Amino acid sequence: MNLFMHDRPGGKGKDMNLNVAFMRGSFDVVQDWERWGIPMRPHGFWEFTGHTLPWIQGTHLKYAGVNQKPAFTKEALRCGVRILNRHPAIDLITNENGAICGAVLVDLTENVPKMLVINCKAVILCTARGGFLNGSERMGCIFNSASCYTNTGDGSAMAWKVGARMLGYGVSGEMSSGGIGASRYFVRGGTRTWVGTYTDLYGHTWAPFGQETNYDVLNPKYPGEAHIITYPDYKTGDYTQYLPENKMKDAYAKGKTVFMSFAFNNQEDTDYMKWALVHEGNGATLSHLDDEGFDFKKHMLEFKSEMSGGAYCGGPDVTERGETTVSGLY
């Protein structure tokens, strides 16, 4: 496990020991989800597709996630969990020893909000990363983002106020051209699921399909290894679509428009892409394209494969068990 994880391409800010711990527990989680009614093998076998290269074992499992939230809720209720909807936490409470002993919530179930204090021995922060902590390049269309607009770093703020050690706030939030890819005017997550070819306005291909392509820059551990990729492939996904980073940034800097064409796809790849997008929360994007009469065989989709200003990499410092430096805070 250690050798496998450390052999994979990494980036700045990666805690490989933490990644190994997550990987070791991932199959247990997958089995739990499957037992709770989430189809983890919708086609009868494990599918690791997208966001990988031809010679690297994929680690992104495709599963049918449309019923994920109802399945989680049903299992939580079965275990006796009391769910308080519309009760966001705004502050944590510590005792004289600095350990967590409660949280302050706002009850929004009625027209007049009320404060509510919950006594507890531990708190697990599940507020996701603060995608809008630094605003967004799309503030005029606030929902046009891969991040939820309510992800403003409130979880990190609560942890910081009770003295948790924080990490990563000096790391730039700007991502490379391979960062977050999506339809430019209907942005959602799921970059690894889109299957197509980057083109210019006239449909001229910018991706390296049909020629021998050297990926030394992406994976220096395998110098000189080359592969021939003849068409977009859902099994590797976005990595086979990437343009040279400088070319992509240069195009945006000059005001040029980047499109994704699906004309080079075979029907199997396009059908798989549509299925996978629905099951990872992109059904609204497909519905919008359908309403507009979009034809995947004829039309190109204006694409945005760069995101800046909206992402950040900071958060509480945690151990492999998810423990912060504050007792009782995870």
Side-chain angles (χ1 to χ4, degrees):
M1 182 70 72
N2 290 354
L3 289 175
F4 171 75
M5 291 302 298
H6 284 273
D7 191 51
R8 293 186 58 78
K12 60 184 179 180
K14 300 288 186 179
D15 185 331
M16 294 309 299
N17 292 329
L18 200 59
N19 286 351
V20 169
F22 287 165
M23 177 65 83
R24 287 187 182 280
S26 62
F27 189 52
D28 291 336
V29 173
V30 167
Q31 290 178 305
D32 283 340
W33 289 14
E34 191 168 48
R35 191 175 67 255
W36 299 341
I38 301 171
M40 304 304 292
R41 290 173 283 187
H43 301 125
F45 54 91
W46 304 114
E47 295 177 78
F48 295 94
T49 64
H51 216 53
T52 189
L53 294 168
W55 60 85
I56 297 177
Q57 169 62 50
T59 57
H60 293 83
L61 179 65
K62 283 289 190 296
Y63 62 93
V66 167
N67 73 324
Q68 182 169 306
K69 186 174 181 179
F72 287 164
T73 302
K74 181 179 179 181
E75 178 62 18
L77 294 174
R78 188 191 69 81
C79 294
V81 174
R82 182 186 177 193
I83 299 175
L84 299 177
N85 288 314
R86 302 190 67 195
H87 281 71
I90 60 171
D91 232 335
L92 302 176
I93 305 172
T94 56
N95 60 24
E96 63 275 10
N97 298 318
I100 293 293
C101 64
V104 179
L105 283 61
V106 181
D107 181 351
L108 299 176
T109 57
E110 299 179 358
N111 290 334
V112 179
K114 294 180 292 186
M115 306 301 288
L116 179 66
V117 175
I118 299 292
N119 296 320
C120 59
K121 295 180 180 180
V123 168
I124 303 175
L125 293 173
C126 306
T127 56
R129 69 181 185 178
F132 275 77
L133 180 65
N134 301 317
S136 171
E137 61 180 344
R138 311 182 189 89
M139 293 306 288
C141 302
I142 198 167
F143 287 100
N144 191 40
S145 172
S147 297
C148 178
Y149 81 102
T150 59
N151 290 353
T152 54
D154 52 334
S156 292
M158 286 188 283
W160 174 76
K161 287 199 295 183
V162 295
R165 183 167 61 229
M166 312 299 286
L167 293 177
Y169 283 94
V171 178
S172 170
E174 182 176 356
M175 298 183 181
S176 68
S177 61
I180 294 181
S183 54
R184 186 167 189 174
Y185 300 107
F186 209 114
V187 179
R188 294 295 183 269
T191 173
R192 65 183 61 89
T193 300
W194 288 96
V195 181
T197 307
Y198 288 133
T199 68
D200 61 15
L201 176 63
Y202 304 101
H204 298 147
T205 303
W206 283 0
F209 298 117
Q211 57 183 302
E212 192 168 292
T213 306
N214 196 311
Y215 284 93
D216 288 355
V217 176
L218 289 177
N219 196 343
K221 290 182 177 293
Y222 300 93
E225 185 164 356
H227 290 257
I228 296 177
I229 302 174
T230 56
Y231 59 88
D233 183 0
Y234 78 85
K235 294 179 181 178
T236 50
D238 52 341
Y239 273 8
T240 57
Q241 302 156 11
Y242 285 169
L243 301 170
E245 182 176 334
N246 292 336
K247 188 172 183 179
M248 174 71 82
K249 289 187 175 182
D250 182 62
Y252 286 135
K254 292 180 179 179
K256 294 182 179 180
T257 306
V258 177
F259 290 87
M260 176 169 281
S261 169
F262 309 93
F264 299 92
N265 293 12
N266 61 42
Q267 192 59 45
E268 177 189 2
D269 286 276
T270 299
D271 290 344
Y272 187 94
M273 175 188 70
K274 292 180 180 179
W275 169 83
L277 285 171
V278 168
H279 284 282
E280 56 188 44
N282 283 274
T285 304
L286 295 179
S287 295
H288 170 68
L289 293 177
D290 187 59
D291 291 342
E292 295 297 320
F294 187 89
D295 188 332
F296 281 88
K297 295 181 179 179
K298 298 178 181 179
H299 300 144
M300 299 186 301
L301 184 66
E302 189 170 349
F303 224 71
K304 180 67 173 178
S305 188
E306 183 178 26
M307 179 178 178
S308 59
Y312 86 105
C313 303
D317 185 12
V318 297
T319 69
E320 296 173 9
R321 290 169 47 86
E323 302 162 315
T324 70
T325 53
V326 176
S327 179
L329 181 61
Y330 298 82

